[in-house]
């Protein structure tokens, strides 16, 4: 059976759709892994005694993939990203890379770029020859103490080919890739009325008016470790907001509202796409405008 893939186009020439693994925090300067088998969504990446799942991720409007981690000691953050580029024919091109971090890029198992320890910032144009099918793998690393981050963007310059003719393919285990992408598109129309709330507030999830889909979605409220505090399922309805908070469970910390396919699609059809919308819960009331005096606010 042929490998199923999600199919995307370039966004202004940028690759916006990836499989990512990590971030991993280590004292080692270089972490490698077995590249004899190309990754598939939810395959495992083995690094020493630890395993990381390859997850699908799309870029935001800044075109960048961002990896962050927190470690009390000086450590090295490592992150990996993978995508397949499908071209209508062999074509001369260049990869324009911008990054904060130390990078290495493989194209069809050949190293085409290594930043040689230059970490801030990286900016380069790499001449390449695209085949009809191209396996692109990126590794990025950054050294820091406490909160550490690394990020990159990749753009294809295709002088002799229309960018829309180049496809970005993401190998997936989903039984119905078109449904995966339809759900991905639908969930982009979801938004929260407010992203900061006081403990005890109810908060509403809404849908943009152009949504006509009548399907169900599952939701959960999760913390940074993906521990679930609230969950449920409801029908998409642009006219009716859905209260997805519970007054007695959520205490001060950052959370994410995770939206995904309902149970059967998620578990039986391997449709594991999830969109996470950040929200923050405070123990004291939040106001957008100042009140009282600075002394009263401090108290």
């Amino acid at each position: 059976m042929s490998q199923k893939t999600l199919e995307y186009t370039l966004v202004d020439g940028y690759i916006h759709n990836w499989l990512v693994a990590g971030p991993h925090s280590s004292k080692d300067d270089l972490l490698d892994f077995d590249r004899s088998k190309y990754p598939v969504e939810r395959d495992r990446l083995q690094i020493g005694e630890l395993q990381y799942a390859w997850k699908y991720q799309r870029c935001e409007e800044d075109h960048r993939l961002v990896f962050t981690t927190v470690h009390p000691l000086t450590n090295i953050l490592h992150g990996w990203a993978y995508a397949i580029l499908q071209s209508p024919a062999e074509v001369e091109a260049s990869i324009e890379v911008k990054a904060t971090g130390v990078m290495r890029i493989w194209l069809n198992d050949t190293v085409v770029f290594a930043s040689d320890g230059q970490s801030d910032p990286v900016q380069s144009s790499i001449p390449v020859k695209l085949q009809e099918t191209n396996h692109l793998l990126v590794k990025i690393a950054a050294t820091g103490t406490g909160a550490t981050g690394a990020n990159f963007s990749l753009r294809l310059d295709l002088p002799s080919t229309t960018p829309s003719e180049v496809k970005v393919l993401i190998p997936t285990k989903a039984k119905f890739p078109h449904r995966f992408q339809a759900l991905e598109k639908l969930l982009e129309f979801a938004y929260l009325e407010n992203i900061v709330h006081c403990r005890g507030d109810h908060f509403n999830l809404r849908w943009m008016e152009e949504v006509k889909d009548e399907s169900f979605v599952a939701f959960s409220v999760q913390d940074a470790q993906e521990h679930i505090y609230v969950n449920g399922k409801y029908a998409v309805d642009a006219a009716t907001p859905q209260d997805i908070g519970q007054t007695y469970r959520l205490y001060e910390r950052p959370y994410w509202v995770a939206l995904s396919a309902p149970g059967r699609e998620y578990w039986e059809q391997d449709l594991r796409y999830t969109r996470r919308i950040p929200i923050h819960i405070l123990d004291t009331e939040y106001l957008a405008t100042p009140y009282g005096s600075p002394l009263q606010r401090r108290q």
Side-chain angles (χ1 to χ4, degrees), residues 27-45:
K27 295 181 180 179
D28 299 325
D29 190 30
L30 178 64
L31 290 175
D32 211 345
F33 63 96
D34 181 10
R35 294 191 302 276
S36 62
K37 179 179 179 293
Y38 295 119
V40 177
E41 176 211 9
R42 292 189 291 114
D43 274 356
R44 295 293 174 175
L45 170 64

Side-chain angles (χ1 to χ4, degrees), residues 11 14-18 20 56-66 81 152-154 184 188 273:
V11 179
Y14 288 92
I15 303 171
H16 259 225
N17 309 88
W18 297 89
V20 301
Y56 167 70
Q57 186 171 327
R58 59 186 291 169
C59 295
E60 300 293 342
E61 293 181 358
D62 62 0
H63 313 298
R64 289 179 176 258
L65 274 185
V66 179
F152 73 88
S153 66
L154 290 186
E184 179 183 4
E188 288 305 305
Y273 177 71

Side-chain angles (χ1 to χ4, degrees), residues 92-222:
E92 300 289 340
S94 61
I95 298 176
E96 298 176 357
V97 55
K98 295 181 180 179
T100 300
V102 179
M103 287 193 71
R104 182 173 295 184
I105 301 175
W106 292 262
L107 183 65
N108 295 327
D109 300 320
T110 299
V111 176
V112 295
F113 178 76
S115 57
D116 297 328
Q118 301 175 13
S119 58
D120 291 313
V122 174
Q123 183 168 345
S124 185
S125 181
I126 311 155
V128 296
K129 185 174 183 178
L130 295 182
Q131 310 297 319
E132 291 187 4
T133 300
N134 306 270
H135 299 272
L136 181 65
L137 177 67
V138 178
K139 179 184 178 296
I140 190 164
T143 302
T145 302
T148 305
N151 65 79
F152 73 88
S153 66
L154 290 186
R155 184 180 183 276
L156 290 182
D157 185 11
L158 301 158
S160 60
T161 301
T162 304
S164 61
E165 294 182 307
V166 175
K167 305 299 181 184
V168 180
L169 305 182
I170 303 298
T172 181
K173 292 184 178 179
K175 292 183 178 179
F176 305 106
H178 290 296
R179 170 59 183 151
F180 183 113
Q181 293 185 259
L183 178 69
E184 179 183 4
K185 183 177 180 180
L186 170 65
L187 295 186
E188 288 305 305
F189 290 104
Y191 66 96
L192 294 168
E193 288 182 344
N194 296 290
I195 61 171
V196 179
H197 283 271
C198 177
R199 176 168 59 91
D201 286 352
H202 295 269
F203 50 95
N204 290 330
L205 180 73
R206 286 186 173 271
W207 299 86
M208 297 181 187
E209 294 180 356
E210 54 264 44
V211 171
K212 306 301 180 184
D213 198 307
E214 297 181 352
S215 65
F216 284 83
V217 298
F219 70 88
S220 62
V221 179
Q222 306 176 354

Side-chain angles (χ1 to χ4, degrees), residues 206-279:
R206 286 186 173 271
W207 299 86
M208 297 181 187
E209 294 180 356
E210 54 264 44
V211 171
K212 306 301 180 184
D213 198 307
E214 297 181 352
S215 65
F216 284 83
V217 298
F219 70 88
S220 62
V221 179
Q222 306 176 354
D223 62 16
Q225 288 73 42
E226 298 187 9
H227 298 153
I228 296 175
Y229 294 79
V230 184
N231 67 341
K233 183 182 78 169
Y234 77 104
V236 174
D237 184 353
T240 306
Q242 175 71 25
D243 184 352
I244 57 175
Q246 292 192 18
T247 59
Y248 58 89
R249 288 189 179 181
L250 302 177
Y251 292 85
E252 182 168 302
R253 72 188 66 176
Y255 294 90
W256 281 261
V257 175
L259 304 175
S260 60
R264 182 176 181 181
E265 285 188 303
Y266 189 92
W267 296 110
E268 296 183 15
Q269 299 176 9
D270 279 335
L271 201 172
R272 303 298 176 89
Y273 177 71
T274 299
R275 182 190 174 203
R276 289 180 171 84
I277 306 173
I279 190 168

